[in-house]
Amino acid sequence: MKHCILKVALDTPLDFCFDYAWVAADDDEPVPQVGQLALLPFGRREAVGLIVGIEQTTDVPLDKLKQAIAVRAQLSPLSAEWIALCEFAADYYQRPLGEVALPGLPKNLRAEKTTSLDRALKKLAKQPPTHDATPAAMPQLNPAQQQAADAIAGAAGFAPTLLYGVTGSGKTEVYLQAAAQILARSDGNDPAQILILVPEINLTPQLESNVRARFPGVTVATLHSGLAEGERMTHWLSAHLGHARIVLGTRLAILASLPHLKLIVIDEEHDPSYKQQEGLRYSARDLAVWRAHQLSIPIVLGSATPSLETWHHAQSGRYRKLELRERAVKDAVLPKVGLIDLERKAPREQVTEGLSATLLAAVKQRLERGEQSLLFLNRRGYAPVISCDSCGWISNCTRCSAYLVLHKLDRILRCHHCGYEQRIPRSCPDCGNVDLQPLGRGTQRVEETLQAVFPAARILRIDADSTRLKGSAQQAFDAVHRGEVDILIGTQMVAKGHDFQNLTLVGVLNPDTALFSHDYRAGERLFAQLMQVAGRAGRVAQKEGGSRSEVLIQTGYPQHPLYDALRQHDYDTFAAGLLEERQQAGFPPFMYQALLRAEAKELQFALDFLHQAIACVEHPGITMNDPIPMTMTRVANVDRAQLLVECASRPALQAFLKIWIAALRDMKTRVRWSLEVDPVDI
């Protein structure tokens, strides 16, 4: 009877593989292969694991060696390259292999029963893949676009490329035409798959529509967390089996099984959404670069405002830089950026509920000309807090170090951190005063003000509150594209990727708070955010008699260098200044960091643990900063603290972290802790 020992990675915090015996049920049953999934007994339950090795012997005593229940033979094995990707991620981000590989698979694929898998395989068998890569009619590229597309498609081996193009410069068209060239060269003996990542789910429908229209004869798959589990399973299998030649998705798609991958595209590569903030805290962008290097294929990082890490690599020659300095549409120009000084002494700007007279006049002008306006405020809800003028009471969350946000339409106060909700009090809980006032403004309050000022206008708000239902965000964006909206109010959801043809005005409200943030990345993020939202305006040529595209920013600090660079659309100078500051201060990309977080019922317990973590190993060449409470110290009745670790050498930091995390795992503590490599939120 055939038998062997399976070495299996399971989704557990234990940093080792488990041995299981496998015995063939009969002589016809094939021997398992590395990369297959197996159902296994684990404690009092059953779990699905990934076979990463097959041996004939084991160190586990035979009386304790458990037998595998079943091997998922109906699914072809995951490739050695995919397992190597997971091993690299596990090693770099200091996590067990099972905590990387298994969560990277669809949930239904890890289920005890194979019902969903069998159904999906049967469905795909009835839908034979189409591989006619002949594209539909392609628009004529301008010389810079054509040069970029040819350079990307013609790259041999690993070729990391920064596609640095202003908003509206046609970066997506460059991606599609480069993909068309690569797909055209492929055949049955050497098939090609293209992976295109975007930072947010709401950007995938527009991209998917463009890709399907361009490549009607090619199977396309989409992968993101918004899909139903059955749908995600089908799309993942389509990619794994090689049926899908183009795969679109958010950050989780970087861990998809793609056996014929030939090109990776990371659109809006600067976006912090590419960094996972729970569980395995990986950077999809950085893993994509490693995966391209592993497979010796080209990778494109596209952005109008590249991250400083990517910009530094391009400036130093590590990445190739291709530039698109002009908008793709003929006669379409970058919008004029103007600043509205809210602190000017005389003549003082008249302000109505946070909206200046200058901005309201510009909106009115667009309404009269049948053009669209966008007001950007990155704060949802009606008001950030309500207060009592008599005694000073404010609506604090009882579970967090945060305020309860007023949601007037729902008639509730809601915490945006833990989800706690309560009804709006009729009077002050402390003194009984009935005159409670909202302080500050969110998108709901701006919407209410505009409805009062422009009662005949068609006003639409797009934020996380108005788009909770599945498909509602896409319906809202479709309404804007159809011209059924005059004034759009939105948060960062509307700031990037969307091509609003009739939008000529962008108004930015309350951006100044990021200017004085403790986070050294705040300026970089604010500039990128404002540049992106500004890019929604003027994406087509100015109509005869129409308005010049314009961006108006309400600020109390019009002399700030960030706004000066924004007015000039000068990312190059702004980035050069930031890099110089980072180098002088010893911040990334000139320093490498890891962040140890601790959570406990009382803050002192968390801080004590972090102090013990400093003392548990020697750390020559490693800078350990003092443990401090996190800015948002308490969330959901849990206190949080952090310890920042720094080193000028990445290999030295990685070597230290391996020793340190082993010591941390040996510490007996009730404190919950986690380690993040290359943190983006400190």
Side-chain angles (χ1 to χ4, degrees):
M1 190 71 71
K2 292 181 289 186
H3 61 87
C4 61
I5 303 298
L6 307 180
K7 291 196 170 295
V8 181
L10 289 167
D11 185 8
T12 77
L14 301 175
D15 195 10
F16 54 82
C17 292
F18 296 82
D19 287 3
Y20 285 89
W22 175 84
V23 179
D26 53 55
D27 291 339
D28 294 331
E29 185 175 359
V31 175
Q33 301 178 55
V34 171
Q36 285 186 311
L37 300 177
L39 182 64
L40 311 154
F42 187 70
R44 297 181 179 179
R45 62 186 178 92
E46 296 177 352
V48 171
L50 172 69
I51 301 173
V52 295
I54 297 177
E55 306 286 346
Q56 293 302 317
T57 60
T58 177
D59 294 332
V60 179
L62 293 179
D63 60 329
K64 293 185 178 181
L65 186 66
K66 296 183 178 181
Q67 186 169 323
I69 299 171
V71 174
R72 301 279 163 88
Q74 67 269 56
L75 179 67
S76 58
L78 292 150
S79 68
E81 291 81 8
W82 185 85
I83 295 175
L85 171 68
C86 294
E87 288 175 338
F88 167 78
D91 183 67
Y92 185 79
Y93 293 109
Q94 308 297 323
R95 300 298 290 260
L97 175 59
E99 286 192 339
V100 177
L102 275 304
L105 303 175
K107 186 177 180 180
N108 286 356
L109 199 56
R110 294 174 275 138
E112 294 179 18
K113 296 182 179 180
T114 63
T115 308
S116 181
L117 172 61
D118 296 336
R119 185 187 302 120
L121 289 171
K122 189 177 295 185
K123 179 180 179 181
L124 288 173
K126 294 179 179 178
Q127 300 173 352
T130 54
H131 299 317
D132 181 3
T134 306
M138 295 191 293
Q140 182 71 35
L141 299 180
N142 62 37
Q145 287 178 299
Q146 190 65 59
Q147 181 182 359
D150 292 343
I152 294 166
F158 175 57
T161 300
L162 168 61
L163 183 59
Y164 171 47
V166 300
T167 55
S169 59
K171 293 186 288 295
T172 301
E173 191 57 44
V174 170
Y175 305 151
L176 295 182
Q177 297 213 16
Q181 293 185 43
I182 291 174
L183 290 173
R185 293 200 300 263
S186 66
D187 54 36
N189 296 322
D190 185 25
Q193 289 179 303
I194 312 292
L195 175 62
I196 304 177
L197 299 188
V198 292
E200 295 183 4
I201 293 174
N202 70 72
L203 296 177
T204 55
Q206 178 176 295
L207 177 62
E208 183 177 359
S209 175
N210 292 338
V211 169
R212 290 187 184 278
R214 179 61 53 84
F215 301 102
V218 170
T219 300
V220 178
T222 306
L223 292 170
H224 57 72
S225 59
L227 296 175
E229 287 300 331
E231 191 177 11
R232 183 183 169 192
M233 166 81 94
T234 302
H235 284 247
W236 186 91
L237 286 172
S238 181
H240 171 66
L241 298 173
H243 295 182
R245 292 300 171 87
I246 300 178
V247 178
L248 317 173
T250 53
R251 61 174 177 260
L252 62 79
I254 193 56
L255 292 173
S257 172
L258 298 160
H260 310 301
L261 189 57
K262 293 294 188 291
L263 172 67
I264 302 176
V265 174
I266 312 292
D267 193 28
E268 310 291 3
E269 67 83 27
H270 66 276
D271 199 291
S273 298
Y274 282 121
K275 185 68 185 289
Q276 172 80 7
Q277 291 301 315
E278 298 175 349
L280 173 68
R281 296 172 182 260
Y282 66 92
S283 165
R285 179 197 65 201
D286 295 348
L287 283 184
V289 173
W290 190 90
R291 191 171 190 179
H293 179 267
Q294 173 202 31
L295 300 174
S296 295
I297 62 173
I299 178 172
V300 184
L301 307 170
S303 179
T305 53
S307 66
L308 286 191
E309 288 81 1
T310 299
W311 186 257
H312 178 60
H313 289 325
Q315 296 297 89
S316 64
R318 185 175 178 180
Y319 292 177
R320 174 178 54 174
K321 182 169 69 172
L322 303 174
E323 299 186 12
L324 304 176
R325 292 283 183 177
E326 298 178 354
R327 288 197 149 176
V329 176
K330 187 178 180 181
D331 298 328
V333 296
L334 291 169
K336 177 184 177 183
V337 179
L339 303 176
I340 300 173
D341 187 356
L342 297 182
E343 297 299 319
R344 186 174 52 187
K345 300 301 180 184
R348 192 173 182 86
E349 182 76 36
Q350 183 179 351
V351 177
T352 303
E353 285 290 332
L355 301 174
S356 65
T358 301
L359 180 56
L360 290 174
V363 173
K364 181 180 179 182
Q365 183 186 70
R366 268 64 183 187
L367 289 171
E368 292 170 347
R369 294 179 176 176
E371 298 167 351
Q372 294 173 317
S373 302
L374 164 62
L375 296 190
F376 174 73
L377 174 61
N378 205 21
R379 177 176 286 165
R380 59 191 176 97
Y382 185 85
V385 65
I386 61 172
S387 71
C388 173
D389 291 338
S390 296
C391 70
W393 173 87
I394 55 176
S395 56
N396 285 310
C397 177
T398 58
R399 304 169 61 189
C400 304
S401 306
Y403 298 125
L404 293 177
V405 178
L406 172 61
H407 287 256
K408 189 176 180 181
L409 297 177
D410 298 331
R411 297 185 178 184
I412 60 169
L413 298 173
R414 178 182 297 139
C415 178
H416 288 177
H417 299 277
C418 71
Y420 171 76
E421 295 181 354
Q422 70 176 54
R423 291 189 176 186
I424 302 171
R426 295 180 180 273
S427 60
C428 174
D430 287 353
C431 71
N433 176 31
V434 296
D435 189 18
L436 300 178
Q437 296 296 324
L439 297 180
R441 291 165 188 84
T443 50
Q444 291 180 9
R445 193 170 188 179
V446 173
E447 179 185 27
E448 182 182 88
T449 301
L450 289 171
Q451 287 171 341
V453 176
F454 304 111
R458 298 169 297 177
I459 300 172
L460 178 66
R461 171 172 53 87
I462 298 181
D463 56 25
D465 297 315
S466 66
T467 57
R468 289 180 181 176
L469 299 178
K470 184 177 180 180
S472 57
Q474 188 56 37
Q475 292 174 6
F477 286 119
D478 289 344
V480 180
H481 290 302
R482 290 193 300 266
E484 298 171 2
V485 176
D486 299 318
I487 304 173
L488 174 62
I489 305 160
T491 57
Q492 61 183 358
M493 289 180 64
V494 304
K496 52 204 165 194
H498 300 287
D499 191 6
F500 303 129
Q501 297 285 307
N502 195 36
L503 196 146
T504 61
L505 173 68
V506 172
V508 179
L509 312 179
N510 195 28
D512 291 340
T513 52
L515 296 177
F516 308 102
S517 170
H518 64 280
D519 185 354
Y520 68 88
R521 297 182 189 270
E524 175 188 359
R525 289 177 179 171
L526 176 62
F527 188 90
Q529 194 173 65
L530 295 183
M531 185 76 89
Q532 290 292 330
V533 74
R536 299 316 103 205
R539 297 176 75 90
V540 296
Q542 182 178 338
K543 299 176 183 177
E544 185 174 348
S547 307
R548 160 102 189 252
S549 60
E550 186 178 21
V551 179
L552 296 176
I553 301 173
Q554 295 189 167
T555 175
Y557 306 91
Q559 305 305 320
H560 197 283
L562 184 147
Y563 293 135
D564 186 56
L566 198 67
R567 291 177 66 182
Q568 306 299 322
H569 296 277
D570 188 3
Y571 176 80
D572 302 56
T573 302
F574 179 73
L578 280 186
L579 278 175
E580 185 176 354
E581 290 178 7
R582 297 272 183 93
Q583 189 167 23
Q584 292 173 353
F587 286 142
F590 305 99
M591 186 67 69
Y592 302 98
Q593 299 177 328
L595 191 69
L596 179 63
R597 294 183 175 91
E599 299 180 350
K601 287 296 182 181
E602 294 183 21
L603 178 61
Q604 193 57 49
F605 293 159
L607 292 172
D608 289 344
F609 168 80
L610 295 178
H611 281 290
Q612 293 168 18
I614 294 176
C616 71
V617 293
E618 295 182 358
H619 44 85
I622 304 293
T623 300
M624 288 209 173
N625 294 277
D626 290 337
I628 58 172
M630 294 178 66
T631 304
M632 184 66 62
T633 305
R634 193 168 183 81
V635 173
N637 290 324
V638 174
D639 285 341
R640 311 182 302 164
Q642 65 184 29
L643 166 62
L644 182 63
V645 181
E646 299 176 297
C647 184
S649 165
R650 176 176 275 159
L653 178 62
Q654 281 287 313
F656 165 74
L657 292 179
K658 286 176 173 55
I659 298 171
W660 194 36
I661 202 164
L664 292 175
R665 286 174 177 149
D666 289 339
M667 290 174 59
K668 294 182 179 180
T669 178
R670 293 185 178 181
V671 172
R672 185 177 177 183
W673 59 271
S674 64
L675 182 70
E676 179 178 3
V677 180
D678 301 332
V680 294
D681 287 318
I682 301 176

